Every structure is written in structure tokens, then in C-alpha cells.
Amino acid sequence: MTSQVRGAQLARLLGQWHALPGRRRSPDYAALAAAVRGLLADGRLPLGVRLPAERELAEALRISRTTVTAAYRQLRETGHLASRRGAGSWTMLPGTHRVASTGLWTPQDDRDMIDLGVAALAAPPELLAAARAAAEDLPRYLGGAGYHPTGIIELREAVAAGYAARGLPTSPDQIMVTSGTQHALDLVLRLALAPGGSVLVESPTYPNALAALAARRARITTHGLAVDGPGWDADLLLGSLRQGRPKLAYLIPEFQNPTGHLMPAGLRERVVAAAHAAGTDLVIDESFVDLPLDGTPLPPPVATFDRHSRVISIGGMSKPYWGGLRIGWVRASAPQVQRLAAARVGVDMASPVLDQLVAVQLLAAGPAIVAARRAQLAAQRDALTGALAELLPDWRVTVPRGGVTLWVELDGPISSALAREAEEIGVRLAPGPRFGLDGTLERFLRLPFTLPAADLVEAVGRLAAVRYDLDRGGRPQWREPAVIA
């Protein structure tokens, strides 16, 4: 059954659509059509949703029905709306797009695209040697069924040793291997959050975490992060836990995605204490914990301060090693791990043994691999910030001390419009609204520094030209963004 958005709901999503770039040069109907396309571009308006009737939307926006009729007509002409007499109009995409295997809509032609939507590095050169060694080690597993719901023992031991090296004693029984960090989050939510449960998240935060919470129909409240400084407002965060008493809080304390903030040790301890008092479970995403830059010292893991099994930590190989190696993990109490394993049987049984053996080999060589990654990322970060300072000096950038992304404050609420224009000149962006709720964060843009420095400098040059064109009020052509990761 096709869902429907009401006139008042669409009006809230559209916000100040009159103020879009180029608005003064466009008639009302064209500006309205462009705003609806913008909602489709960054995912705030889903595909296949029935839009309100023309009269209803006109009343909600306090404009003439003629304007809405003309806007709908233009959306049909561009392939963003399908209408049938007596049945209404529903959202779609132009015929030059296809559904990717991920279920996301992607352009058919991605040649020469500089993709800044995905914050992940290419594979390290050591991966091939690790894969060969893993294949040689595989025969000793072939005599069994190959199902290891908590993961093979060698990998669980290696992950547990990594936590111990960070000052957090951990046994292999406290580790469950998953098919990536996102899979780890999904399993934790299945275990710890009933449908409709309340969750506290940071704003901005990782968009795929928001998608996982939406799948659980979670009631989400947010804690806003400052652009600079420590990021988290301690009093507000602790007050949200004490007063809201959410069932779950999802936090990224190490080089937060997308802001790059690092939570100080004192706040970590206070957050754990407040969560225990409020009856809140903490899901701590440690995806970027291996990537401090410039010699930045890391505070103790959040779970160090846990005395009541309130902290569940998740992490994986995607950011320091390679996203194509779908290996993640959960660190929790041993009983929680067993309950997660029981829940997993109804999802995917177990992670591939060969992939886990590759991960064992990479973790054994981890110190050298990660050191090279850090040096590479620091150089690429500096190239990106230098290009931004030279070509887009009005954009505000706080240089992160780790992680892989910049959270850039733009010189106006143009993030989605900029992403649409940039797509046409070969730069794919992750606009700010993808990292928050209700279409906010239009003044922000996430820029990863995971590509070679030359590509990053070229991308900034193209963005500078696009920013100039937005001021000139040129009419955008249309393509859709692909993957945000």
C-alpha cells in the first residue's frame, strides 16, 4: 500500500522554499518544483509516496492552487512525479536512473565521478598477502559446517586483545563477530530496543544509524553538537539522559561521524553514570577509534567506566582497513553476547570464515598498516583544508584530530542545492540534512579526506565554481546522490 504525505507535513519539509538559491529569477511554481526535487535528492521525501492533492497543498503553503498545479506539471515533465486521474500523484525518479543492488537509487553513468559521499579508504596493499595466508589456513575449518554465530576463536581473541591494549580487559567470550559495524548495530537494536522505543542520538550523526533506528520505529531525541570546542555540551547531554530516560543512547565518542569530535574522559565517565541512573543502555560506536591523527592521545574506552553492563561497544574493519571486508564486532558482557548470537540465527547465522581469517591476518599486521593509514589521512586532510582555505575562505572548518571527515559550515543554507549542482560536474556530496532529522543542517556539509590529495583539491576547485554558479541563480539539472557511508 502506497503511503501518503499530508499537506501540512510536506509544508514542514519544504520549509523556506522561497529562499532557495536562484529563487528571485524563478517563478513560484518552478521554485516549488525545485524544492520538492531537493527533498527527493537527500532522502527526506521517499520514493513511491503519494503527494497531497493540489488544493490541500495550496492551502498548507498559503499559495494559489494554480501554482501547485504548475509545479506538479513540471515535476511530471522531469520524471519526478507520476499522476493518474482519480488516484493522485506519487514520487518517482527520471528514467535515466536504476535501482542499485543496495536498494539505493544511483545514476547509470558514474565515470569520472569524485565520490565524497563515502568516507572510506581504498584497500591497503597488505590485503592480498593477508588473503593468501587466510586461504592457506582455511583447510582446517573445512571439516566442519562453518557456522560460528559468535565468530571464530582466533578473531575473537585478536579483537579482545585490541581492547586489552587500550586498557580494557576483555575475554573472547565478550566478543561477537558480525558482518560489519552496521550489522552489529542492527543486531544490538534487535536485542535491546523494542519497536517504538526511545533513543537519544547526537545531531548530526551517522545517517545509516538513523536508518537502522527508523526500521525499529524508534522515537528519536537528539543532542546537538557544537561546531567547534569539545562538541558535546555536558550539562545538556547528561540532562537529556536523566530527564528523558531513553531506553537506548547511540553515541560516537571517538572522532564523531561527521564532526570529528573526541569526547573527553571526564564526560565519558559521567555519561556512563547518568545512563545507569536513568536505566539507559549505551551503544558506543568505535568505528574510528584506530585513527587518531597528529599523535592525539585517546581517552579510555567508554566501557572502562561501566560496572553494570550498560555499555555495548561496536566496531569493525571498515575504516582503518577496508570497507569491502565486511567484518565488525560487538563487545558486551558474555551473557549479552550469547543473547545476541541467539538473535542472529534468525538473520544470517554467521560471518564467512574466510573473511574472518583475512581479518585475523590484517589485525596481526595492524600496527604497521594503521600507522601508514594515519600518515596518509593526515596528509590528505591537510590538502583538503588547504584547498578550502584558498578557494572557499567563507566556509568554516574545524580541523579534526582524527577520523576521516571534515564537518564544514557553509556560508548559507545551500547544502542540498550545492549537492545537486555538484553532481552535474562530477562531484558527489553528502549534504548536511542526511546527518540529522527533519531536514535541518542545510548550512553544513560532510567532506571526507579518504581520497588521494589530488582528487580532493580538484573536487574543491569544482565546488568553488558551483558555489559561484549558485549565486548567479542558474537553474540546476537533475541527478540523484548515491551512497552515504
Side-chain angles (χ1 to χ4, degrees), residues 26-78:
S26 302
D28 285 348
Y29 76 87
L32 178 57
V36 172
R37 289 194 296 263
L39 296 177
L40 285 168
D42 61 31
R44 284 176 282 161
L45 186 61
L47 300 175
V49 170
R50 181 174 289 112
L51 294 188
E54 295 169 0
R55 185 184 301 277
E56 180 184 354
L57 183 57
E59 292 175 354
L61 296 175
R62 298 181 181 178
I63 59 177
S64 72
R65 181 179 176 180
T66 302
T67 299
V68 177
T69 300
Y72 278 18
R73 182 187 308 117
Q74 186 177 100
L75 289 168
R76 285 192 292 270
E77 291 171 354
T78 58

Side-chain angles (χ1 to χ4, degrees), residues 149-150 173 176 187-188 190-192 281 308-309 312 332-346:
T150 59
D173 290 339
M176 186 177 80
L187 287 174
V188 170
R190 289 172 183 267
L191 178 68
D281 292 325
H308 306 281
S309 298
I312 301 176
S333 68
Q336 286 173 319
V337 166
Q338 291 303 313
R339 290 196 293 272
L340 284 166
R344 179 186 194 159
V345 171

Side-chain angles (χ1 to χ4, degrees), residues 136-303:
E136 293 176 358
D137 199 25
L138 182 62
R140 63 192 179 90
Y141 277 94
L142 299 181
Y147 296 125
H148 302 270
T150 59
I152 62 173
I153 184 61
E154 296 101 314
L155 183 52
R156 289 187 287 126
E157 289 175 342
V159 173
Y163 279 103
R166 293 169 56 202
L168 180 61
T170 302
S171 73
D173 290 339
Q174 292 178 267
I175 302 296
M176 186 177 80
V177 178
T178 63
S179 299
T181 310
Q182 185 70 15
H183 180 223
L185 176 60
D186 180 76
L187 287 174
V188 170
L189 294 181
R190 289 172 183 267
L191 178 68
L193 186 68
S198 58
V199 180
L200 175 68
V201 302
E202 299 143 335
S203 179
T205 192
Y206 182 45
N208 291 341
L210 292 176
L213 291 170
R216 299 295 295 170
R217 302 194 300 279
R219 294 182 290 111
I220 301 174
T221 57
T222 60
H223 167 68
L225 297 181
V227 176
D228 51 14
W232 294 267
D233 184 308
D235 291 337
L236 288 177
L237 176 57
L238 298 174
S240 296
L241 289 170
R242 293 167 181 152
Q243 297 168 22
R245 307 179 72 86
K247 180 66 180 71
L248 208 68
Y250 169 78
L251 303 175
I252 313 173
E254 283 90 16
F255 313 116
Q256 199 265 352
N257 184 7
T259 65
H261 291 310
L262 179 63
M263 184 181 287
L267 181 55
R268 294 171 184 233
E269 185 173 9
R270 295 173 68 191
V271 163
V272 173
H276 172 60
T280 299
D281 292 325
L282 296 176
V283 180
I284 302 300
D285 189 334
E286 299 181 318
S287 295
F288 301 93
V289 72
D290 292 314
L291 298 175
L293 306 179
D294 308 323
T296 298
L298 285 176
V302 174

